[in-house]
Amino acid sequence: MAAFLLWLLLLVFCWPIALLALVLYPIVWLICLPFRLVGITVGAVFAFLGALLMLPARVLRGRPA
């Protein structure tokens, strides 16, 4: 909601920039999408490696986590 209100404010003060932002937003989102997917993948790999390294300690502890 705040982003929409800021865009409306920009539309009132400088409508060409607001329309340009409206047109360019999907293009920028598509360009950033692969980087977001890589970030999610790298985070999942690090979580998996952390769980794999902690597995012996969890098994030797003997209590359910």
Side-chain angles (χ1 to χ4, degrees), residues 32-43:
C32 291
L33 188 61
F35 297 108
R36 293 180 67 191
L37 292 174
V38 167
I40 291 169
T41 304
V42 169

Side-chain angles (χ1 to χ4, degrees), residues 12-65:
V12 169
F13 286 116
C14 188
W15 64 268
I17 293 177
L19 293 178
L20 184 68
L22 193 64
V23 169
L24 289 180
Y25 179 77
I27 297 168
V28 171
W29 185 83
L30 282 174
I31 290 171
C32 291
L33 188 61
F35 297 108
R36 293 180 67 191
L37 292 174
V38 167
I40 291 169
T41 304
V42 169
V45 167
F46 280 140
F48 174 72
L49 289 175
L52 196 64
L53 289 175
M54 294 298 169
L55 183 62
R58 292 182 64 165
V59 168
L60 290 176
R61 188 174 3 169
R63 293 183 309 213

Side-chain angles (χ1 to χ4, degrees), residues 4-19 21:
F4 179 68
L5 291 175
L6 286 173
W7 183 81
L8 284 178
L9 189 66
L10 184 63
L11 183 65
V12 169
F13 286 116
C14 188
W15 64 268
I17 293 177
L19 293 178

